[in-house]
Amino acid sequence: MNGMTVIVKTVTRWLKVFIFLYGIYIIITGHLAPGGGFAGGVIIACSYMLLTLAYGKEFTLKRLSLRAGHHLDSSGALLFLVVALFGLGSGGIFFANVLQNRYPGAKFTLLSSGTILISNIAIGLKVAASLFLIFIILSVLRIVLVEDGSQKMIQEEEEE
Amino acid sequence: MGIELYLFILLVFLIVGALIAVETKNLLSSVISLGAIGFGLSIAFLFLRAPDLAIVQIAVEVVLLIFLIRATIGRDVIPTKGHIHWAGLLIVCLLTVGFFAFGYYAFRSLNEFGTPIISAVGNAPSNKYLADGLKETGSANIVTSILLDYRAYDTLGEATVLFAAVLGALAVLRGRAWSKREKDK
């Protein structure tokens, strides 16, 4: 996969930042406006998919390797679990919103809801890394029909 | 009437799209009509005043379309041949009629369109969430306050399912890619 034409590459170069920024906005304001961690994570993964489709797999993997994706995925899940255990440790209840109970912020502001913001960021990180990993893995391998009618999994480079 | 008319038109559009997706011979047009169903569903969520779901639906639908088009492009569907099993067809028709009859009586027992079911139950937990959600969690978006505060345990399970799915996909699919890279070294 060597990428697409120069038109697609130029448009992608301008658009990718805005898509990424929109995903971050959806995650950060998840407790104030419609959206949240899941939707924002999917949008961030979309920006990386656009990059992969336009520039090719090697270009994306140079910027965000599979190993880094693994670490982001695991750290997102771990951060969410840490929030839960933090509530259990200091509030006595699993997922207790300790920050909001102790230091309630002004309503309708960014820091108004305690651990909900942290949970949103954790879930967004996790979903974005997961979908990116699945897309990269699916674009490395592909299933083709061989002569005797059975199906065989091959790599992209071997096919060409 | 108003909004019900729009929803009715959208539902007819969705059903026609689903029939095209099932019946068409070309795999790519089947995938594209599946995408049309997803975007129509997202508009239906907007009409039902659920913008959170509409955003999630439209984002997931884009990702799904990319996956499916990438997987099916340049590939032909192999049509299944064989005679029709009349007994099986009869059983399927009977089951469908029974399902619709059951659905008709089940939906008649619901409230009128637009009135929430929680209004019929006095001390439902949802009433407490709606009344005290902003005060207790500080989150202006009630959906997020339920997902990540009152019912965060569910969200933890959902995140676990996603984690397990990614682990499974990586374990199944990466074997050959890794072995080739080691061979190059």
Side-chain angles (χ1 to χ4, degrees):
Chain A
M1 195 158 64
N2 293 322
M4 297 186 182
T5 60
V6 70
I7 301 173
V8 180
K9 283 185 179 175
T10 312
V11 172
T12 303
R13 195 185 306 148
W14 287 97
L15 268 183
K16 63 174 195 262
V17 185
F18 292 107
I19 298 176
F20 196 84
L21 202 63
Y22 182 60
I24 291 178
Y25 165 78
I26 291 270
I27 290 179
I28 295 286
T29 63
H31 57 292
L32 301 173
F38 195 85
V42 174
I43 291 171
I44 287 181
C46 269
S47 76
Y48 274 100
M49 282 173 205
L50 181 67
L51 215 59
T52 311
L53 289 176
Y55 281 92
K57 195 177 66 224
E58 278 74 29
F59 184 87
T60 318
L61 280 180
K62 219 181 290 172
R63 277 147 185 79
L64 184 63
S65 65
L66 277 181
R67 187 168 295 276
H70 272 294
H71 288 321
L72 283 178
D73 190 7
S74 308
S75 60
L78 206 61
L79 183 59
F80 195 46
L81 206 60
V82 163
V83 168
L85 291 177
F86 182 64
L88 183 65
S90 55
I93 306 167
F94 205 55
F95 274 112
N97 200 338
V98 186
L99 288 177
Q100 168 68 15
N101 293 341
R102 299 236 176 111
Y103 318 101
K107 292 204 167 50
F108 306 113
T109 56
L110 197 59
L111 297 175
S112 66
S113 61
T115 57
I116 288 184
L117 181 62
I118 307 172
S119 307
N120 257 333
I121 291 173
I123 289 181
L125 204 63
K126 200 196 138 23
V127 171
S130 304
L131 283 175
F132 168 73
L133 279 180
I134 291 181
F135 181 73
I136 285 291
I137 283 293
L138 281 181
S139 68
V140 167
L141 291 167
R142 130 182 269 201
I143 298 169
V144 292
L145 285 171
V146 290
E147 285 78 28
D148 58 343
S150 63
Q151 291 184 337
K152 187 188 165 199
M153 234 185 246
I154 63 154
Q155 264 188 280
E156 191 80 17
E157 292 86 37
E158 291 175 17
E159 190 189 21
E160 286 158 3
Chain B
M1 192 66 189
I3 200 158
E4 290 178 49
L5 185 67
Y6 291 135
L7 274 177
F8 186 73
I9 296 171
L10 262 176
L11 282 180
V12 170
F13 172 74
L14 293 186
I15 291 172
V16 169
L19 285 178
I20 291 174
V22 171
E23 289 298 329
T24 183
K25 290 280 183 289
N26 191 350
L27 205 55
L28 190 59
S29 28
S30 170
V31 168
I32 288 174
S33 62
L34 202 66
I37 295 171
F39 289 124
L41 193 61
S42 134
I43 297 173
F45 280 140
L46 275 183
F47 274 124
L48 289 170
R49 314 268 167 89
D52 289 88
L53 272 178
I55 289 177
V56 171
Q57 171 69 32
I58 212 161
V60 170
E61 193 61 42
V62 168
V63 172
L64 198 72
L65 265 185
I66 293 175
F67 277 6
L68 285 179
I69 288 180
R70 180 102 183 82
T72 61
I73 199 161
R75 205 163 304 159
D76 287 330
V77 64
I78 303 149
T80 52
K81 297 188 196 78
H83 62 279
I84 301 171
H85 296 278
W86 290 106
L89 194 65
L90 189 69
I91 292 174
V92 166
C93 285
L94 282 178
L95 277 179
T96 311
V97 169
F99 179 75
F100 272 106
F102 176 76
Y104 179 71
Y105 281 107
F107 278 112
R108 264 171 52 131
S109 69
L110 290 181
N111 292 351
E112 201 185 337
F113 179 78
T115 48
I117 299 176
I118 55 168
S119 66
V121 186
N123 52 359
S126 318
N127 289 327
K128 181 181 166 9
Y129 299 159
L130 286 176
D132 300 338
L134 178 59
K135 201 178 70 197
E136 287 185 355
T137 69
S139 164
N141 186 359
I142 295 292
V143 177
T144 309
S145 79
I146 291 173
L147 273 181
L148 292 176
D149 195 306
Y150 291 118
R151 297 276 188 236
Y153 200 67
D154 282 353
T155 312
L156 182 65
E158 181 195 329
T160 312
V161 167
L162 192 61
F163 195 70
V166 172
L167 270 183
L170 288 179
V172 169
L173 288 176
R174 83 176 183 181
R176 277 185 66 90
W178 253 241
S179 66
K180 178 157 189 296
R181 186 171 297 171
E182 280 165 11
K183 215 184 294 169
D184 289 346
K185 284 175 190 168

